[in-house]
Amino acid sequence: MTELPPKPATTPARPYFSSGPCAKPPGWSADRLNPVSLGRSHRSKIGKQRLQYCIDLMRELLKLPDTHRIGIVPGSDTGAFEMAMWTMLGARPVTALAWESFGEGWVTDAVKQLKIDPTVVRADYGQLPDLGEIDWTNDVLFTWNGTTSGVRVPNADFIPETREGLSFADATSGVFAYDIDWAKIDVATFSWQKVLGGEGAHGVLILGPRAVERLETYTPAWPLPKVFRLVSKGKLTEGIFKGETINTPSMLAVEDAIFSLEWAKSLGADGLIARSDANAAALDKIVAERDWLGHLAADPATRSKTSVCLTVEGADEALIKKMASLLEAEGAAYDVAGYRDAPAGLRIWCGATVDTADIEALGPWLDWAYATAKAAA
């Protein structure tokens, strides 16, 4: 009978490795949130001030140029990206890049809902499609960082400055973790629940000047629900990008986002990136030291530094589920099973709100969970 390894003596202090909602920032607690806007209308003076302050903090941290507008919208990242697709696609041909489940979701919406018959450039999980295949006379949809595959674009160099189409970046697990060249991005979306460790339900929509021009000069052939409408009488509804949200936001979620953004500001944009880089490096060391662990994304140049997806030798869905349950029961790691549509494996969030010491403490627990789960199989 195989002898099982003992349980490790050290447990991660904050075993929150979920890829969304992600770990809260260090030092977070509910009683540290500013209650100033709670119980108040989002249309009140204080409500508008706090929403605008949240937008200003995001702009500062993202180093977003004045040419780009930033607004808080319904429906998390999904709602923000759907809003962009439904309001701007159809003016010219579309290319959709898909190398994981969310990219495939945008393909499904384009084909089945909008019926625009896009050109689809695909790659298997763990791979990145040939970015040189892209026809930039088309509008192009892509995920900056594939949360469910652990594969990202290396940078924005594949996007030409003189493109005719618009670039649409689903950047939800990429913003605040990579240096993004905003001159190359016409539309970007994300949610607070990823790198900031904020709450879900609200999305963020960033529009460059070419996207605004599209909105003001093109009317889609399909009807738009109220929560998608960004234009009134042929002009962009500027209030949306000054804190006047389309529908009622949760001011508690806004205050939570402000807490995270103020924490992030104390580190600076480079500090946030450095924390993600350090976490990814610590996890990479764990993988390198174990022959039964591997990276789903084989190429380090396109490997995510936030949602890191791992392969486990001989694993099927049942083994991964068992490992995740064992780790959760011991308070060693929460929510580390890979995404349901991805190959069976583990997914460890390495964004800036995670402490590197907790990643380092995870290695021995993975050994224990793997051996214990295999023995029980």
Side-chain angles (χ1 to χ4, degrees), residues 28 30 143 161 194-195 202 232 268:
W28 181 93
T143 52
E161 293 182 5
K194 298 293 186 182
V195 180
H202 302 321
S232 177

Side-chain angles (χ1 to χ4, degrees), residues 37-333:
S37 67
L38 304 187
R40 297 295 306 274
S41 169
H42 62 299
R43 307 288 187 198
S44 68
K45 183 177 180 181
I46 190 62
K48 289 181 180 179
Q49 285 176 347
R50 296 301 279 176
L51 286 159
Q52 183 64 63
Y53 179 51
C54 185
I55 289 171
D56 292 343
L57 285 171
M58 289 188 286
R59 179 179 296 279
E60 179 180 355
L61 273 164
L62 292 174
K63 303 176 184 177
L64 200 68
D66 292 341
T67 54
H68 286 57
R69 292 164 171 85
I70 182 167
I72 299 167
V73 300
S76 195
D77 174 66
T78 299
F81 204 81
E82 294 275 11
M83 179 182 289
M85 290 178 64
W86 282 69
T87 56
M88 284 177 265
L89 294 186
R92 60 190 314 120
V94 174
T95 294
L97 309 185
W99 62 88
E100 49 98 49
S101 59
F102 286 99
E104 283 290 350
W106 310 140
V107 171
T108 297
D109 288 346
V111 172
K112 293 188 176 181
Q113 305 302 322
L114 301 181
K115 304 184 187 305
I116 55 177
D117 191 24
T119 298
V120 182
V121 181
R122 286 188 170 91
D124 292 334
Y125 273 87
Q127 304 295 319
L128 190 70
D130 182 357
L131 301 180
E133 289 185 31
I134 301 170
D135 179 357
W136 282 98
T137 63
N138 292 3
D139 292 335
V140 178
L141 315 177
F142 71 98
T143 52
W144 187 280
N145 184 105
T147 311
T148 67
S149 70
V151 176
R152 63 181 172 92
V153 295
N155 48 51
D157 291 354
F158 72 102
I159 305 173
E161 293 182 5
T162 56
R163 61 193 175 279
E164 294 179 37
L166 300 181
S167 58
F168 291 73
D170 171 357
T172 195
S173 55
V175 292
F176 305 110
Y178 305 103
D179 188 14
I180 295 177
D181 181 357
W182 292 105
K184 300 290 188 70
I185 304 299
D186 298 307
V187 179
T189 65
F190 67 94
S191 70
W192 299 324
Q193 62 158 316
K194 298 293 186 182
V195 180
L196 289 176
E199 292 302 297
H202 302 321
V204 177
L205 176 67
I206 296 175
L207 301 178
R210 299 177 72 247
V212 174
E213 180 185 22
R214 171 71 63 81
L215 285 165
E216 294 184 338
T217 58
Y218 166 69
T219 301
W222 42 80
L224 294 176
K226 181 179 179 180
V227 292
F228 282 5
R229 295 173 199 162
L230 297 169
V231 174
S232 177
K233 299 178 180 179
K235 290 294 181 181
L236 188 72
T237 305
E238 294 285 0
I240 295 171
F241 305 93
K242 298 176 181 177
E244 298 173 13
T245 54
I246 293 174
N247 68 336
T248 306
S250 163
M251 295 309 296
L252 184 59
V254 171
E255 294 297 345
D256 183 78
I258 287 173
F259 178 93
S260 296
L261 287 160
E262 289 179 336
W263 168 80
K265 183 178 177 179
S266 72
L267 300 172
D270 292 341
L272 288 176
I273 292 172
R275 282 180 64 93
S276 289
D277 287 354
N279 290 337
L283 184 57
D284 190 52
K285 184 174 185 292
I286 289 171
V287 173
E289 293 171 346
R290 290 157 175 80
D291 57 10
W292 59 272
L293 264 182
H295 284 287
L296 182 59
D299 183 359
T302 59
R303 183 181 300 154
S304 172
K305 295 181 180 180
T306 56
S307 55
V308 184
C309 297
L310 306 179
T311 59
V312 175
E313 184 179 86
D316 56 13
E317 185 178 345
L319 185 72
I320 295 300
K321 185 176 180 179
K322 180 64 174 176
M323 286 183 67
S325 296
L326 287 165
L327 291 166
E328 180 170 346
E330 294 295 331

